[in-house]
Amino acid sequence: MKTKSILEKKRERTGLLFVMPSMIIFTVFVFVPLIISFVFSLLKFDMMFNHIEFQKLDHYKKLLGDGRFWNALWNTVCYTVFSVPLLIGLALIVAVMIRRKGWFSGFCKSVYFIPAICSMTIISILWSFLVNPDIGVFSYWLSLLGVKPINVLNSPKWAMPTVILVGIWKNFGFNMVILLAGLNGIDESYYEAAEMDGAKGIQKFLKITVSMLMPTLSFTIVNSIIGSFQVFDQVYVMTKGGPLFKTQTLVQLIYSTAFDSFNMGYASTIAVALFLITFLISTFTFKRMTKGEEDLG
């Protein structure tokens, strides 16, 4: 049996020391709360932990027949399906356009990234004023064109698209920076060789840019999916889940169940369901993207 050298053991200990802070943070703020949520999902109690009752799997049975849960899940899926492709596509297009160095590209990078570092709550309040039919600047512009302003946040038809628009405007700058870092890692010699072989612009983009950017795209897509399933801030600030529950997402339903209805046990059940759904979809997406990388490779 091959024995490890002193140097290898020292490297392993050094690696564990570097990993340890992240593992401690993950355990304290992710793993332990997840276990506690699962335990809470089997109980019935209020915020003051009074009248604790063991419910077995009653909350999960209730979940399967809860129309509000399925409505919130549908709204969350719709938000994800429409926002993630637009978010990634827009970020990739802008990243390719401003890839070249120069003062204008640097200016654009700064401007596009500013929303990503701002609070979603502040941005949601700002957009609530912008789309307000009485005092909003968008309504004023529409009135100049002779178009009657629409109260989009109170419209079952336009409330969700408005929430999606705000989410894209807020988050695409972060993905743009990540994709820009991936683009800068692609050597220009690949493009030069492709041009010598007669490749055109779209061919170079698909065969070189996209294929070599797949690891970065995998990260941004999975990260965006997870973030979309956790959408809450702009929904709570702009619509409170309305109108007619058309924008109520799973996280907003968890909040409403826990802090409006004071049903902490059932709220924990919804939280566990959200974790499982997000985990399964993220894992499936990551495996598909990894398989795509291997096929392109």
Side-chain angles (χ1 to χ4, degrees):
M1 182 181 294
K2 183 180 178 180
T3 59
K4 295 182 179 180
S5 64
I6 298 176
L7 181 59
E8 288 177 337
K9 292 180 179 179
K10 186 176 180 180
R11 287 177 176 174
E12 287 184 358
R13 288 195 297 268
T14 304
L16 287 174
L17 288 175
F18 278 105
V19 173
M20 190 64 66
S22 297
M23 293 304 298
I24 293 174
I25 292 174
F26 177 83
T27 301
V28 173
F29 293 102
V30 178
F31 188 66
V32 172
L34 180 62
I35 295 176
I36 294 174
S37 296
F38 177 74
V39 173
F40 283 177
S41 70
L42 304 176
L43 305 174
K44 181 180 180 181
F45 60 95
D46 57 22
M47 292 185 64
M48 302 306 295
F49 290 90
N50 295 322
H51 310 293
I52 299 177
E53 299 177 13
F54 182 59
Q55 297 290 300
K56 297 182 181 179
L57 297 177
D58 291 349
H59 282 154
Y60 290 93
K61 295 177 182 178
K62 177 183 176 181
L63 188 73
L64 295 176
D66 189 353
R68 287 190 63 184
F69 167 76
W70 292 108
N71 174 72
L73 176 59
W74 171 254
N75 292 335
T76 305
V77 170
C78 288
Y79 180 92
T80 303
V81 168
F82 285 102
S83 67
V84 172
L86 291 173
L87 188 63
I88 301 300
L90 181 62
L92 180 58
I93 292 172
V94 174
V96 171
M97 291 175 61
I98 65 174
R99 180 185 179 187
R100 290 184 174 83
K101 296 181 179 180
W103 70 268
F104 184 72
S105 294
F107 173 76
C108 290
K109 294 172 189 176
S110 302
V111 170
Y112 292 143
F113 189 69
I114 286 176
I117 61 177
C118 295
S119 167
M120 177 58 88
T121 302
I122 300 300
I123 287 177
S124 300
I125 294 173
L126 172 64
W127 274 88
S128 296
F129 281 109
L130 290 176
V131 300
N132 187 287
D134 298 321
I135 61 174
V137 65
F138 292 155
S139 299
Y140 174 73
W141 290 341
L142 289 174
S143 65
L144 295 178
L145 298 175
V147 179
K148 184 179 179 180
I150 302 174
N151 193 346
V152 292
L153 297 182
N154 285 329
S155 169
K157 180 180 179 181
W158 295 106
M160 180 57 80
T162 304
V163 170
I164 292 173
L165 174 64
V166 173
I168 294 173
W169 187 82
K170 163 73 168 66
N171 296 314
F172 103 93
F174 174 80
N175 288 329
M176 179 205 68
V177 171
I178 300 298
L179 293 173
L180 195 58
L183 287 171
N184 290 333
I186 302 176
D187 199 303
E188 289 291 337
S189 60
Y190 292 106
Y191 295 101
E192 295 173 359
E195 289 178 358
M196 293 178 65
D197 291 336
K200 303 299 181 181
I202 188 66
Q203 293 175 322
K204 290 190 293 181
F205 177 76
L206 294 176
K207 297 296 183 180
I208 299 177
T209 304
V210 175
S211 62
M212 299 195 70
L213 206 60
M214 283 300 291
T216 308
L217 280 171
S218 299
F219 169 78
T220 54
I221 291 174
V222 172
N223 188 63
S224 297
I225 290 175
I226 294 174
S228 296
F229 267 88
Q230 295 176 345
V231 61
F232 171 73
D233 303 50
Q234 66 262 46
V235 173
Y236 183 77
V237 173
M238 299 179 72
T239 65
K240 294 291 192 298
L244 303 176
F245 303 105
K246 289 296 184 178
T247 61
Q248 186 175 60
T249 59
L250 284 175
V251 177
Q252 205 271 333
L253 178 61
I254 293 170
Y255 178 89
S256 176
T257 304
F259 299 106
D260 293 338
S261 302
F262 304 108
N263 192 343
M264 304 297 291
Y266 188 54
S268 299
T269 304
I270 302 173
V272 172
L274 173 60
F275 166 77
L276 292 175
I277 293 170
T278 306
F279 176 78
L280 291 174
I281 293 177
S282 301
T283 302
F284 173 78
T285 304
F286 183 77
K287 287 185 176 180
R288 293 294 299 177
M289 295 296 293
T290 303
K291 184 178 179 180
E293 292 177 31
E294 294 175 353
D295 293 340
L296 289 172

